[in-house]
Amino acid sequence: MTATVAPPAPAEAAASRPAPLGAALLFELAKQLSTWRTRLVLLACWLAPAGFVAVVSQQTPLPADTVFGRWMLSTGWAGALVILGFASSYALPLLTSLVAGDAFAVEDRLGTWRHLVMAVRSPRRIFAAKALAALVVVLVMVLGLAVSGVAGGLLSVGNHPLPGLDGHLLSPADAARTVALAWACALAPTLAYAGVGLLGSVLLGRNPMGLLVPAVLALGLQLVQALPIPVAVRLALPGSALITWRGLFMAPAQTGPLVLGIVVALAWAVVSTGAAYALFVRRDFTDLANDGAGRRTLTGGVLPLAALTAVTVAVVALATPASGSGIDKAKLDANLATSFAHLYRLQTAELHRPAVTEAQLGTSADCDRGGSLGEDVGAGNDWRCVVTWHLPGTTATGSAIYQLDVTADGRYVADGDGPKEVNGYFTVHTVSGDAPNPLWQLDGSVDLLTPSKG
């Protein structure tokens, strides 16, 4: 006689099935949005940028040390880019810390893992629901920053052309497309920070340091970016796309460093999220004393990201012509001459002088760093450049002097040092009153990936 096991009753089989992912996702979204902290941050993301841009755009002192800051009185599109520059350094890492960095740790603090596991009955679906909910909330916050910055600028200043980083004018339609693309490119490093936040939340449990992992990573990357490191290392860091979006505002656009930065950031997002998933599904939820933290921090969190960094540095070094700092005299000469020619035409239009073309001007620049004592390469605030051009219809040659402060990421600010009627003062006298002098200070950016033009 053989014994047989009766199949489970339909009600028991239904009770053992995992909860639908959609229901788990809605539950996690409800938990995210139920906290006053998340609601307050969401409100700030959708309102604060517009208020900031509207107030600053009406002031005489402008954030000229920020990219596009000096154009906030001229076009509404500049305000959204000032917000993007601020968000790239501070807001985006903090937002991912508050949302993704607390996605799993909150259950450890409240001691609710057993109830959640019993309700969903699948660690995999719990992870997917929490990760997707964090992603949705972060994307809504980033969208709020972008929309609010654009709205504040357009309402307070207007839909006017935007000068690029090489001085060429973008029409309002082109400016709208490029600003939207720049914000879209910032999503890749935001996903990387979010993935690191999920990993920190899984690894460190109720330890408050898990909440700060993305912010600490962003701070460390900013410190590294300020150092004179090789280009291959600079572009292999996950936050490089938060800097290289500036290349979209050059003509032609500097897309090489940006595409590379996006690929690296997405690789970080995949690896960090995958590591968080692998650690989470192996966790013992029956042990109340186990909050996920411990010796796995090194093997499960640090080592995979360190290995990824080594691989990306090697790939960038082998696949690109990048070498050294990527900054040299030939690049600065060509870049500054192009920017000056574009902005000279803008100044000519302000002063209602006869229109000229870049070909007629024949602009050239000669840059030197530290006199004859050093090599003309690398970042520093000791670059001095002399720009010369030819005035149409005459044999005279114009010249202007600029002092350049070149940062390690390829951005430079050229400060006019005379003559006064060209670039020595921050306003010019027009028939309708004083107007900002476009040649007084120039923002520029060199492509670190391209080989030297010398």
Side-chain angles (χ1 to χ4, degrees):
M1 181 176 180
T2 60
T4 61
V5 178
E12 295 177 356
S16 64
R17 295 196 198 102
L21 179 59
L25 174 59
L26 292 177
F27 178 65
E28 291 298 332
L29 282 174
K31 286 199 297 185
Q32 286 274 7
L33 299 177
S34 65
T35 63
W36 65 267
R37 181 184 64 194
T38 303
R39 293 178 179 178
L40 185 61
V41 172
L42 275 171
L43 185 64
C45 288
W46 281 88
L47 296 181
F52 171 81
V53 173
V55 171
V56 173
S57 297
Q58 306 303 319
Q59 306 297 316
T60 301
L62 293 173
D65 57 341
T66 305
V67 179
F68 294 102
R70 61 177 51 88
W71 297 111
M72 290 184 68
L73 292 178
S74 304
T75 172
W77 296 107
L81 296 175
V82 171
I83 295 298
L84 177 55
F86 172 80
S88 298
S89 300
Y90 306 104
L92 297 181
L94 288 176
L95 294 180
T96 54
S97 292
L98 291 174
V99 179
D102 199 37
F104 297 90
V106 64
E107 308 291 349
D108 288 306
R109 291 198 306 271
L110 299 177
T112 52
W113 276 123
R114 288 189 303 166
H115 307 289
L116 187 60
V117 171
M118 292 177 61
V120 179
R121 295 179 296 279
S122 171
R124 293 178 176 84
R125 294 196 181 184
I126 292 175
F127 183 90
K130 284 185 170 293
L132 289 175
L135 175 62
V136 170
V137 174
V138 168
L139 290 181
V140 172
M141 290 178 176
V142 175
L143 180 63
L145 292 173
V147 173
S148 182
V150 170
L154 294 181
L155 292 175
S156 59
V157 181
N159 186 19
H160 306 301
L162 172 71
L165 284 181
D166 60 353
H168 78 287
L169 280 181
L170 286 80
S171 67
D174 289 336
R177 286 191 292 267
T178 311
V179 168
L181 182 58
W183 274 97
C185 292
L187 290 178
T190 302
L191 293 178
Y193 286 135
V196 172
L198 294 176
L199 180 58
S201 186
V202 170
L203 281 174
L204 300 180
R206 65 176 65 93
N207 190 323
M209 278 303 299
L211 187 66
L212 301 176
V213 169
V216 171
L217 174 63
L219 178 61
L221 292 177
Q222 289 183 46
L223 294 177
V224 172
Q225 288 280 9
L227 299 175
I229 57 178
V231 181
V233 178
R234 184 179 305 281
L235 297 180
L237 298 177
S240 65
L242 293 176
I243 299 173
T244 53
W245 60 262
R246 303 167 186 168
L248 294 172
F249 296 88
M250 303 289 290
Q254 298 173 357
T255 56
L258 178 59
V259 172
L260 192 58
I262 291 174
V263 172
V264 171
L266 292 178
W268 268 69
V270 171
V271 171
S272 57
T273 305
Y277 172 80
L279 292 170
F280 181 77
V281 296
R282 293 201 300 266
R283 176 173 173 173
D284 181 10
F285 294 98
T286 61
D287 185 2
L288 297 181
N290 177 21
D291 65 353
R295 59 186 178 182
R296 296 181 305 167
T297 301
L298 178 63
T299 58
V302 177
L303 291 182
L305 297 181
L308 175 62
T309 302
V311 170
T312 52
V313 169
V315 170
V316 173
L318 295 174
T320 67
S323 62
S325 66
I327 303 170
D328 56 38
K329 168 181 168 59
K331 292 182 182 180
L332 287 174
D333 287 351
N335 197 286
L336 181 59
T338 300
S339 297
F340 184 91
H342 286 145
L343 294 174
Y344 188 92
R345 295 185 61 200
L346 182 59
Q347 187 192 68
T348 297
E350 285 184 346
L351 298 175
H352 301 284
R353 293 172 178 170
V356 294
T357 65
E358 283 86 352
Q360 290 174 321
L361 290 172
T363 307
S364 63
D366 183 17
C367 295
D368 175 76
R369 185 183 184 193
S372 59
L373 301 178
E375 192 175 1
D376 296 333
V377 296
N381 60 359
D382 52 351
W383 284 91
R384 182 179 184 274
C385 301
V386 178
V387 180
T388 57
W389 69 99
H390 300 283
L391 301 178
T394 69
T395 58
T397 299
S399 65
I401 300 174
Y402 283 94
Q403 303 293 334
L404 266 63
D405 184 3
V406 186
T407 58
D409 57 15
R411 184 206 170 193
Y412 68 83
V413 177
D415 193 3
D417 199 19
K420 180 179 180 180
E421 60 273 13
V422 177
N423 68 354
Y425 200 61
F426 63 92
T427 59
V428 291
H429 300 290
T430 68
V431 294
S432 58
D434 289 347
N437 184 0
L439 292 177
W440 175 52
Q441 284 185 335
L442 314 182
D443 280 319
S445 179
V446 297
D447 191 343
L448 301 179
L449 273 185
T450 58
S452 173
K453 298 180 181 179

